Amino acid sequence: MSLVEPERPFAGKAMLRIITNNFALLTVAGVGLAWIFPPAFTWMTDGSIRLAGQPLLSLALGVVMLAMGLTLTFADYRALAQMPRALLVGVGLQFLVMPLSGFAIASALDLEPGLAVGLILVACCPGGTASNIVTFIARGNVALSVAMTMASTLAAVALTPLLTGALAGAYVAIDRLNLLLNMVGIVLVPVVLGTLLNRLFPRAAARVSAGLPVMAIVLVIWIVGGIVGGAKAQIIAHAGTVLLATFLLHASGFALGYVLAKVLGLDEVAARTISIEVGMQNSGLGSGLAKTPAFAAQFANATQAALAPVPAAISAVWHVVIGSLLAGWWRRRG
């Protein structure tokens, strides 16, 4: 449903469509503004504002996940139990291709510990919700994209801490239990709560859901902008390395996701969808997790801790740019 008055539903829907379809452009614009005037964004991520004892960043991430949960029903969870072949392949590649690529790139480029851990962390995160928009533009299977995002988000509650601990453990000792608890609080609880609210108050949830994509986009841009603005000095000092590393990570995800899906016998539409889902990470979640005090405390010094959120923030720009360009090319091909 629209957020505007009932007699003008088309205008509201058109505005929502414009905003969601231009997510890549808005992200780049937001990051550019954060670079020019960091204070407009850093209040979201610097920990200076707390509500109910929680940092604003953690609450913002929870709201994004709650928004996702409000769009789901318990029937959607039951449908995942059937796990069609394309969904199994897609989620499997999500947690195979990206984590291994992140580790390989960090090793090949001999990244500093903070950058290496940050790159591996975002590589181990689930798919991002922006992938659903990009899949639509690319003429992919939107239903499969939504199912993959949902399944990878739920699986990430356990897999992100496990994979991050295993791969990033070469650089710094990762407290997997603490990361698991963060994932439960920031991802699992809000998603399930949103689904429960949808079940109990379906009409209210339907009204609210009309504006959820826009709210999620705004929050993600603010989070990413806050990370970029707050880490401006670190980004300048490591610009070449971090830009190359994050580009290679997402380029590997898009390319290997497509090729391996085709090798495993899936059709063109499914291969495009899996490519997009594998290549696009939930960078906002990665940035937020890397910025939490508990995660930062695992580093030996504050300099390396400050570097950890940087790869996820830069990856938020790369994946929407690459994904949007790829989607446009596929759309022209038909």
Side-chain angles (χ1 to χ4, degrees):
M1 294 184 66
S2 174
L3 293 179
V4 297
E5 296 299 323
E7 62 269 18
R8 297 179 59 199
F10 179 77
K13 289 182 180 179
M15 181 59 68
L16 290 173
R17 192 182 311 115
I18 290 171
I19 293 173
T20 53
N21 287 347
N22 288 279
F23 178 66
L25 180 61
L26 291 171
T27 301
V28 173
V31 169
L33 182 58
W35 188 264
I36 296 169
F37 188 63
F41 292 81
T42 52
W43 58 269
M44 171 68 77
T45 57
D46 62 11
S48 60
I49 300 177
R50 303 177 74 90
L51 297 175
Q54 295 297 316
L56 187 59
L57 172 62
S58 298
L59 294 175
L61 289 170
V63 169
V64 173
M65 293 299 126
L66 179 68
M68 179 179 175
L70 278 167
T71 66
L72 301 173
T73 67
F74 286 104
D76 295 323
Y77 293 93
R78 289 192 293 270
L80 289 180
Q82 301 174 13
M83 294 294 267
R85 184 163 174 265
L87 181 57
L88 271 173
V89 169
V91 175
L93 291 178
Q94 172 77 51
F95 288 107
L96 178 67
V97 168
M98 293 301 277
L100 292 179
S101 295
F103 180 77
I105 292 165
S107 300
L109 297 180
D110 194 25
L111 298 182
E112 292 188 37
L115 293 177
V117 171
L119 187 73
I120 291 169
L121 175 61
V122 74
C124 294
C125 281
T129 52
S131 60
N132 307 148
I133 301 167
V134 174
T135 297
F136 173 76
I137 297 171
R139 300 185 191 276
N141 186 332
V142 177
L144 174 60
S145 174
V146 172
M148 276 190 63
T149 300
M150 178 184 171
S152 67
T153 299
L154 294 174
V157 174
L159 291 180
T160 295
L162 289 174
L163 290 169
T164 302
L167 298 174
Y171 299 92
V172 63
I174 300 295
D175 186 340
R176 302 182 199 187
L177 177 59
N178 184 273
L179 188 53
L180 173 63
L181 294 176
N182 270 342
M183 292 294 293
V184 170
I186 293 175
V187 177
L188 184 62
V189 172
V191 169
V192 174
L193 178 60
T195 308
L196 183 61
L197 291 174
N198 191 9
R199 174 68 176 271
L200 297 175
F201 310 103
R203 296 181 65 182
R207 293 191 188 97
V208 173
S209 295
L212 290 180
V214 174
M215 182 181 67
I217 286 171
V218 170
L219 287 174
V220 168
I221 291 173
W222 234 305
I223 290 169
V224 171
I227 299 293
V228 170
K232 186 174 179 177
Q234 290 91 338
I235 293 173
I236 291 173
H238 302 85
T241 302
V242 75
L243 286 170
L244 176 60
T246 49
F247 171 78
L248 291 174
L249 175 66
H250 291 291
S252 299
F254 284 109
L256 291 174
Y258 180 83
V259 170
L260 292 175
K262 296 287 278 189
V263 167
L264 292 170
L266 298 180
D267 62 31
E268 175 68 19
V269 173
R272 291 182 185 184
T273 304
I274 290 173
S275 168
I276 292 167
E277 283 294 324
V278 172
M280 299 188 71
Q281 298 296 91
N282 191 331
S283 300
L285 177 63
S287 297
L289 290 172
K291 189 72 174 176
T292 57
F295 193 86
Q298 298 174 86
F299 290 88
N301 61 72
T303 301
Q304 294 303 320
L307 288 176
V310 173
I314 301 302
S315 84
V317 180
W318 270 131
H319 78 189
V320 293
V321 171
I322 298 173
S324 297
L325 292 173
L326 188 59
W329 181 59
W330 271 331
R331 189 174 185 85
R332 288 191 295 273
R333 288 185 60 191

